[in-house]
Structures are given as structure tokens and as C-alpha cells.
Amino acid sequence: MSLVFPHTFIPWFRAVAPYIHAYRGKTFVVGLAGEAIAAGKLNNFVQDLAILHAMGIKLVLVHGFRPQVNEQLAAKGHASRYSHGLRITDEVTLDCAQEAAGQLRFEIEAAFSQGLPNTPMANATVRVVSGNFLTARPVGIVDGVDFMHSGVVRRVDGPTIRRAIDIGALVLLSPFGFSPTGEAFNLTMEDVATATAIALQADKLLFMTEIPGIAEDRSDPDSAIDTELALADAKRLLAQLPPPAQPTDTAFYLQHCVKACEAGVERSHILPFSVDGAILQEVFTHDGIGTMVVDEKLESLHEATADDVGGIIQLIEPFERDGTLVRRERTEIERDVANYTIIEHDGVIFGCAALYPYPEARTGEMAALTISPQVQGQGDGERILKRIEQRAKAAGLDSIFVLTTRTMHWFIKRGFVQVDPDWLPEARKRKYNWDRRSQVLVKKL
């Protein structure tokens, strides 16, 4: 173990370091389903949040309490009632919700106070702050159903929460709000977390949920998880889905992710609490573990058109001069411009890559991956790589490959493996420059 450990730990730590740097000082709002606490996941989850806190991430934690309230109601012989995916909160249910919220807040604060040796909480000081940060209003009567004491968020006291997290505290919110007249309302964790993320303009909204994410094959819930959904795609999917009635329905968490992204939260995530360390895997690894809904309005990531040829040439020319990229004829770029994916901001292109498919071999070449030196290290190369992978999968390809002389390690960190040039499709092998001796790297999709 002593011989193997450095060879695994050091590359891993170096791979994680860019994410530590990127997220220091950022604000995350985390919604924890009550089912996670009922399943005994609280202590490990709190330790993971303590790690994020130690990394300089500002945290707001919103807990749910669906199973805990149901348990309280069952103990009193009172039935749980739902409609339109919301709990109907009568007087008895309101009392049970208040009891459950109080008990869970006690358990969560106790978990953050453990400081157990030989755990991530050892010598950690995570101050938990809670209070009346939420103003609520009643749901009212919907389609003839009176929701009584069920409410929705009217306003979040964002400035006060911001002051608390800026001094290093973790803010804990329960799904309860009060009207200006002091009336209590039972809220949903998802509504509170979404409204809080919007009020803070958080960098991430993360839901720890009962589901692993959004399945790529909507007809098969057991299919692979779609790790990234552009906001436009998420909205189209949501429009096709029936209204959600329970948390396991695909649209249940997705609707809140879409709402958050539309209101300025750039990244929203659906993660499975059943996987130990899921939030760490999502934050600190390239591929993540659940589904991320991403708003691409701020930086447009799209396929290139003829109008983009000049910007692509201007971007890649310096890298062609120093030998990082093979020089391409300008007529070739103009002819193949539809193969290119670009990132632009205010009309300036600062990232690009091209996909050249070889359908007979069910593979494709990613060529001319270029990021402007002005923005390198901000994850734009990974965003373009992810889009190229999506284009390749949509074209029915099983893999993509690259030829490189200088950036081999960047690709290896992102799942590529080196192969012999003889692996190349015959059509590409005929154009291989044996004098340049480019390394060939392949990634299975």
C-alpha cells in the first residue's frame, strides 16, 4: 500500500486542485431530502459539507422532512394527504411538521458539533446559524383543494444570509416560513432551496435526492444518467413530462433546477444521497455523478457557422505558429466550419474544437481544441470536450480520439487512454504525419 498510495494520491490531488481553486469563495445552496436523514446518511453528509466549508465554499443547507412528518402523523393516527405534489397541511399536520423540524435541526446542529478525531470533522469549526430568514404566503385553494397551512416562499432575506455566510457560518434553513402577521406555513425543501439560491444568486444549487439523476433514455429509468443538460434542453424535456406527483418523478426536482437557472443560478444539480460522498464527486471530479442543469446564456456554447470562421482563425493562429496545432488551410476551416463547436462572449470567440467523424469505424477525431490564454484554467476546455462528446454520441459514435504532441496529460486526466497509431481508422491513418509523431489518445463514450 505504501508503494501504491503516492502513485494514486498525487495524480488525484493534482486533478482535484483546479476545482478547489475555482470554488473557493463561491456560494452553494444544498437541499437535503428528509429521506436521506431517515436513511442514516446525515453524519457522512455533514462531514462532506465540513470538507467543502474548509475549502472556502460558502454554504446554505436546507433540510426536508417528508418522512419525519409522515412518521409523526402515523403515530397520531392521522393520515398524510397530498394533492398536486404538495402536502395538505391541516392543524394536526402543522404541529407534526413543527415537531419534526425542531428535532431535525437539533440533529443537524449536533452532527456539525461532533469534531470526532480521525474524521473530516476533526478540529473543524463549523458555526451553524438559523433564524426567520423566510417570509411565506399560503398556497390557498387550487382546483377546489384547500391546502390550509401549506405555503410557498414569498421572500428570502438574502442580505442577512449573505452576511452570515461571508463571516464563515453555515446557514441552516428549515422548510418553514411566516407571514407578516406571524402565521406559520409549511413549505417544501425544494421551494426554499430554489428561492434561496435565486436570492443569493448562488453559484450552485445542489439537491441530494432519492433519484440518481435524469436518465439519458427517458423510457428506461435504469439507463445511464445524463450528466449535463443545457437549460434549453431541460426546459424542452420538462414541457414533455407530466406534472410531478412525488419526488421520484423525473420532473419533480428538474422543475426547480430549471427555475433556478432561468433566474440566474448558473448550475443546478440532482444528486443521489444513496451514494456515499456524492456531493464531493459532483463538485471535485470532471464527470460528476448526477445530473447538472447548466445555463449557457452568459457564455454561448454552440456549433459554428460561416460567420465564425474569422474568429476561429484568429484564435488558433498563435497555436499553429508555435507548433501546438497542425496548420489548417483557411479554405478547409471554411469548408468544415459546421464540424466546429465554439464558446463566445459578446461576439468574441475564445474557445473551439472540431469533430471529424469516421462512421465506418464508429469513432471521430476531436481536432483543434483551443482555449484563449486569457481564459485558460476556467473549465472552458472541459465544456467544449463535453459538447463534442455529446455530438459524437448523437452521431452514433462509440469513441472519440485526439492527436497531440504537447497536451497528452490534459486528455489522460479526462478519461483518454493512449493507443498505438495503428489503431487509427484507415482513412485517418493515411494522413498521419509520422515525422510529427503525435500521440494518439482514445476515449470511449
Side-chain angles (χ1 to χ4, degrees):
M1 178 61 74
S2 61
L3 293 175
V4 174
F5 180 71
H7 299 290
T8 56
F9 170 77
I10 292 171
W12 170 85
F13 198 81
R14 286 172 176 163
V16 167
Y19 299 100
I20 297 174
H21 174 72
Y23 293 132
R24 181 175 298 277
K26 302 299 185 181
T27 300
F28 291 4
V29 176
V30 183
L32 179 64
E35 287 78 1
I37 303 173
K41 305 292 185 180
L42 180 60
N43 282 340
N44 284 348
F45 177 71
V46 163
Q47 291 176 14
D48 292 346
L49 286 190
I51 293 172
L52 297 182
H53 185 268
M55 298 294 185
I57 295 171
K58 301 173 183 180
L59 295 169
V60 178
L61 174 60
V62 184
H63 73 82
F65 56 9
R66 266 185 298 267
Q68 290 80 9
V69 174
N70 290 341
E71 184 180 351
Q72 294 267 5
L73 288 170
K76 295 182 179 181
H78 198 76
S80 300
R81 293 191 297 149
Y82 293 86
S83 181
H84 298 74
L86 294 174
R87 185 189 295 276
I88 299 171
T89 308
D90 56 20
E91 292 289 347
V92 176
T93 305
L94 183 63
D95 289 340
C96 291
Q98 290 171 335
E99 291 176 21
Q103 181 178 344
L104 288 179
R105 284 171 69 157
F106 176 84
E107 292 180 13
I108 293 170
E109 290 181 12
F112 276 110
S113 303
Q114 290 180 52
L116 297 176
N118 300 320
T119 75
M121 288 294 291
N123 301 316
T125 302
V126 182
R127 299 299 180 206
V128 179
V129 172
S130 56
N132 57 339
F133 298 116
L134 305 173
T135 303
R137 62 175 177 81
V139 172
I141 300 173
V142 180
D143 294 333
V145 178
D146 187 353
F147 284 86
M148 291 180 272
H149 296 284
S150 294
V152 293
V153 176
R154 181 193 297 268
R155 187 177 67 86
V156 177
D157 188 355
T160 304
I161 294 176
R162 174 61 67 186
R163 285 194 292 271
I165 60 177
D166 282 348
I167 62 172
L170 179 146
V171 171
L172 174 63
L173 299 179
S174 294
F176 260 103
F178 299 89
S179 71
T181 60
E183 185 179 0
F185 290 104
N186 175 28
L187 310 175
T188 67
M189 174 273 287
E190 300 78 22
D191 182 30
V192 173
T194 303
T196 303
I198 293 171
L200 297 175
Q201 286 296 278
D203 299 281
K204 284 185 181 291
L205 168 63
L206 304 108
F207 288 115
M208 305 302 300
T209 76
E210 308 90 324
I211 62 175
I214 306 298
E216 285 186 348
D217 183 354
R218 318 303 181 203
S219 62
D220 180 11
D222 295 325
S223 67
I225 297 302
D226 197 336
T227 56
E228 182 174 322
L229 275 174
L231 177 58
D233 294 333
K235 289 170 67 175
R236 280 193 291 270
L237 172 59
L238 195 59
Q240 297 167 5
L241 295 170
Q246 54 189 354
T248 52
D249 291 341
T250 302
F252 190 85
Y253 292 103
L254 183 61
Q255 62 184 338
H256 297 284
C257 290
V258 167
K259 180 179 179 181
C261 284
E262 286 182 320
V265 179
E266 293 183 30
R267 307 285 187 271
S268 296
H269 305 253
I270 302 171
L271 310 178
F273 66 69
S274 60
V275 177
D276 188 31
I279 194 168
L280 299 181
Q281 291 187 56
E282 181 71 7
V283 173
F284 294 118
T285 66
H286 173 251
D287 292 326
I289 187 172
T291 295
M292 175 176 69
V293 178
V294 55
D295 180 9
E296 296 173 345
K297 289 184 296 186
L298 300 179
E299 297 172 348
S300 178
L301 175 67
H302 60 85
E303 278 60 71
T305 67
D307 294 335
D308 300 313
V309 172
I312 293 172
I313 293 172
Q314 185 176 13
L315 176 67
I316 66 176
E317 268 183 341
F319 297 92
E320 291 177 333
R321 285 197 299 268
D322 69 13
T324 302
L325 295 177
V326 175
R327 189 180 187 282
R328 284 173 167 74
E329 295 297 331
R330 282 20 190 174
T331 53
E332 177 188 347
I333 295 175
E334 188 167 357
R335 181 194 68 203
D336 299 334
V337 69
N339 292 20
Y340 282 78
T341 294
I342 63 171
I343 293 181
E344 65 173 341
H345 183 73
D346 287 339
V348 177
I349 298 173
F350 56 89
C352 74
L355 175 66
Y356 289 91
Y358 292 86
E360 71 283 356
R362 298 186 65 83
T363 190
E365 179 181 6
M366 183 172 71
L369 175 60
T370 310
I371 302 297
S372 169
Q374 298 175 347
V375 296
Q376 286 181 0
Q378 298 182 15
D380 294 310
E382 294 181 343
R383 292 180 62 201
I384 291 181
L385 170 59
K386 183 71 70 173
R387 176 59 71 90
I388 292 293
E389 290 176 4
Q390 291 172 347
R391 293 185 69 179
K393 285 194 286 188
L397 306 182
D398 296 332
S399 64
I400 57 174
F401 66 90
V402 296
L403 275 67
T404 180
T405 58
R406 301 189 185 183
T407 55
M408 176 177 174
H409 292 289
W410 189 92
F411 290 105
I412 289 175
K413 287 180 181 179
R414 286 150 183 86
F416 286 78
V417 295
Q418 187 176 359
V419 298
D420 190 270
D422 286 335
W423 178 93
L424 291 169
E426 288 299 325
R428 183 63 180 87
K429 198 186 304 182
R430 288 194 293 269
K431 296 187 290 183
Y432 181 79
N433 186 338
W434 293 95
D435 292 331
R436 183 174 169 85
R437 299 181 63 186
S438 298
Q439 302 290 331
V440 181
L441 299 110
V442 179
K443 182 175 184 179
K444 292 184 178 180
L445 301 176

